[in-house]
Amino acid sequence: MSLSIRNQLPGTVASVTPGEVMATVKIRLDGGQELTAAVTLEAVEDLGLTTGSAVRALIKSTEVSLATGPVNGVSIRNQLPGTVTDVTTGGAMARVKVDVAGGELTSAITKDAVGELGLATGSPVVALIKATEVSLSNA
Amino acid sequence: MSLSIRNQLPGTVASVTPGEVMATVKIRLDGGQELTAAVTLEAVEDLGLTTGSAVRALIKSTEVSLATGPVNGVSIRNQLPGTVTDVTTGGAMARVKVDVAGGELTSAITKDAVGELGLATGSPVVALIKATEVSLSNA
Amino acid sequence: MSLSIRNQLPGTVASVTPGEVMATVKIRLDGGQELTAAVTLEAVEDLGLTTGSAVRALIKSTEVSLATGPVNGVSIRNQLPGTVTDVTTGGAMARVKVDVAGGELTSAITKDAVGELGLATGSPVVALIKATEVSLSNA
């Protein structure tokens, strides 16, 4: 099955914290980073996720924000440092490719943001991804 | 591959409108409804999507809002009418199951919203889904 | 440090309702509006958020929907009335700037939506933002 979701990062479940409706799943990515996903408890049960499960973290490119450096004091759980490898701009939106440890990310942000942040090939960035925007699949 | 993404609606591509970075893809769901997805142009090319392609529309439960009736004059492209079949509440969030033509949707919304809208089994609702929140897979 | 996240609204925490995994945080924006954010409980703890904390609400432009008026009976917690100040359209997407009390919002919606809603400079709109799409930072 091919997916339109551009970002698919392999890793291993480090912990599962269940609530009544939602659950947070911590994943150790193959690139070494830690990632937090907030998914429904039902999904955790259906996928049989437990510590050690091999998974893929799936993140739509429109859910990947970029910062020019690490951000302190923010609720956004996931920050992946990397380097811009390509910028393609359209009339309203832009697509930015970012090399991170263990893979590549695609971010779809406004053209305005690209201009204001001065993003170009070689720019160091940190990709920011809210935990509620991370989906998981069995690897 | 099992996915944590709760909502997977089968359908057929009705049209593709490419931009420079993003593309809008209209899908005729098997349940008869029309759905619009805004995905990267790159994804459209990688998946080889053209009119007639069989696809699945994938929507994370945290991206499904609910209204008590149709909403006019809103930028949200997708409105799927249905009936609530189950409500499970936690401390902050709630999970609502909705029967729609051709399938079932799961919506994760705040507990507050469930209370304010008076949602219970049998409630008629309209599921609202922003086009940028719809991912696609080959069927 | 610069962020691609276009929308950054300053405010003060009015209340925190913790669940097991997620928490809802109500914020009184400096512009006077109330905003609800659904973030992980872990984030609330890490940021030390309590009633009275100064914060910024961060909202990606792709998460801001627009309506031509207030919407009743909807699970979407946040509705900020404003006026369109600029519309820029691309091939598939459009960027709409909206003046709201206390600041400016950027919304990235489909070009189709702009056309159907007849949005232009001066149009009164209501920005709709799902609670799960609001991130928070310490001010």
Side-chain angles (χ1 to χ4, degrees):
Chain A
M1 181 169 68
S2 292
L3 279 177
S4 68
I5 301 173
R6 297 292 84 193
N7 302 303
Q8 306 192 22
L9 303 173
T12 304
V13 172
S15 70
V16 176
T17 304
E20 271 114 29
V21 169
M22 300 291 286
T24 46
V25 181
K26 302 234 182 221
I27 299 129
R28 172 67 54 179
L29 295 180
D30 288 0
Q33 312 97 322
E34 194 180 75
L35 202 74
T36 300
V39 299
T40 58
L41 178 62
E42 185 184 57
V44 167
E45 293 168 348
D46 280 3
L47 271 64
L49 299 181
T50 56
T51 303
S53 298
V55 292
R56 279 177 179 274
L58 309 178
I59 306 147
K60 217 172 173 307
S61 57
T62 45
E63 305 302 347
V64 179
S65 300
L66 297 175
T68 54
V71 182
N72 292 320
V74 70
S75 69
I76 301 172
R77 296 293 83 193
N78 301 306
Q79 302 200 21
L80 304 179
T83 305
V84 173
T85 57
D86 185 65
V87 177
T88 302
T89 51
M93 298 291 287
R95 189 206 64 192
V96 182
K97 297 272 187 184
V98 179
D99 252 348
V100 297
E104 186 189 54
L105 289 176
T106 300
S107 167
I109 59 180
T110 58
K111 188 176 67 166
D112 288 355
V114 167
E116 194 181 293
L117 272 61
L119 299 180
T121 300
S123 300
V125 290
V126 174
L128 305 177
I129 304 156
K130 207 172 181 306
T132 47
E133 304 300 350
V134 180
S135 299
L136 299 173
S137 74
N138 288 320
Chain B
M1 182 170 66
S2 292
L3 277 178
S4 69
I5 301 173
R6 298 293 82 194
N7 302 304
Q8 305 192 23
L9 303 172
T12 304
V13 172
S15 70
V16 176
T17 304
E20 301 82 11
V21 167
M22 300 290 286
T24 45
V25 180
K26 299 220 187 235
I27 298 128
R28 172 67 56 181
L29 296 180
D30 289 0
Q33 313 98 320
E34 194 179 75
L35 202 75
T36 301
V39 297
T40 58
L41 180 60
E42 185 185 56
V44 167
E45 293 168 350
D46 281 4
L47 271 65
L49 298 181
T50 55
T51 303
S53 298
V55 291
R56 278 178 179 273
L58 308 178
I59 307 147
K60 211 170 178 308
S61 57
T62 46
E63 306 301 347
V64 179
S65 300
L66 298 176
T68 52
V71 182
N72 293 319
V74 70
S75 67
I76 300 172
R77 293 295 82 193
N78 301 305
Q79 302 200 23
L80 304 179
T83 304
V84 172
T85 57
D86 185 65
V87 177
T88 303
T89 52
M93 298 291 287
R95 188 206 64 191
V96 182
K97 298 271 187 184
V98 179
D99 253 347
V100 297
E104 186 189 56
L105 290 176
T106 300
S107 166
I109 59 180
T110 59
K111 188 178 66 165
D112 286 356
V114 166
E116 194 181 292
L117 271 62
L119 298 180
T121 300
S123 299
V125 290
V126 175
L128 306 176
I129 304 156
K130 220 173 168 308
T132 47
E133 304 301 348
V134 180
S135 299
L136 298 173
S137 73
N138 288 320
Chain C
M1 191 259 332
S2 295
L3 271 181
S4 69
I5 301 174
R6 296 295 82 192
N7 302 305
Q8 305 193 22
L9 303 173
T12 304
V13 172
S15 70
V16 177
T17 304
E20 304 81 11
V21 168
M22 300 291 287
T24 47
V25 180
K26 298 216 188 241
I27 299 127
R28 173 66 56 181
L29 296 179
D30 288 0
Q33 313 98 319
E34 193 180 76
L35 201 75
T36 300
V39 299
T40 58
L41 180 62
E42 185 185 59
V44 167
E45 293 167 349
D46 280 4
L47 271 64
L49 298 181
T50 54
T51 303
S53 299
V55 291
R56 279 177 180 273
L58 309 178
I59 306 148
K60 234 178 157 301
S61 57
T62 45
E63 305 302 348
V64 179
S65 300
L66 298 175
T68 54
V71 181
N72 293 318
V74 70
S75 67
I76 300 172
R77 295 292 84 193
N78 302 305
Q79 303 201 20
L80 304 179
T83 305
V84 173
T85 58
D86 185 64
V87 178
T88 302
T89 51
M93 298 291 288
R95 188 213 61 193
V96 181
K97 298 267 190 189
V98 179
D99 252 348
V100 297
E104 186 189 56
L105 290 176
T106 300
S107 166
I109 59 179
T110 59
K111 188 177 65 165
D112 286 355
V114 167
E116 193 182 292
L117 271 59
L119 299 180
T121 300
S123 300
V125 290
V126 175
L128 306 177
I129 304 157
K130 211 172 177 309
T132 46
E133 305 300 349
V134 180
S135 300
L136 298 173
S137 74
N138 287 320

